[in-house]
């Protein structure tokens, strides 16, 4: 989470908070996707890490990033770099 927050210009606590600005939401969804893909955490576990979000919220975030990496090269490169780290 620290690496993602740094790449997007946030501190980890901001990703856990309830903020909903578009850039913050994107960063939070990238965290969801990376934790799901690289760490093998369940949706419930990721939700707890991110301040008690529901599995449905985590599933939505993972799906959003999964879709975006197919159409936005910048997001794809960021996610791929994070998955390698």
């Amino acid at each position: 989470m620290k690496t993602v927050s740094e790449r997007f210009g946030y501190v980890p606590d901001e990703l856990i908070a309830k903020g909903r600005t578009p850039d913050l939401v994107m960063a939070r969804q990238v965290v969801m996707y990376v934790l799901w893909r690289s760490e093998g955490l369940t949706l419930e576990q990721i939700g707890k890490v991110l301040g008690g979000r529901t599995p449905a919220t985590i599933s939505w975030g993972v799906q959003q990033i999964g879709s975006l990496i197919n159409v936005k090269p910048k997001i794809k490169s960021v996610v791929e770099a994070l998955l390698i780290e």
Side-chain angles (χ1 to χ4, degrees), residues 25-26 28-30 32-33 36 56-72 75 79:
V25 169
M26 175 70 65
R28 189 180 295 128
Q29 289 175 341
V30 169
M32 294 172 188
Y33 188 86
W36 180 71
T57 299
I58 303 305
S59 178
W60 174 256
V62 168
Q63 289 174 16
Q64 290 298 106
I65 296 303
S67 295
L68 286 175
I69 61 174
N70 293 319
V71 295
K72 295 203 175 208
I75 294 296
V79 170

Side-chain angles (χ1 to χ4, degrees), residues 1-2 4-6 8 10-19 23-29 31 49-51 53:
M1 189 160 33
K2 181 180 178 195
V4 174
S5 61
E6 288 173 355
F8 282 87
Y10 294 102
V11 296
D13 287 345
E14 290 175 297
L15 298 178
I16 295 170
K18 301 293 182 189
D23 289 343
L24 179 59
V25 169
M26 175 70 65
R28 189 180 295 128
Q29 289 175 341
V31 169
V49 169
L50 290 172
R53 288 176 168 77

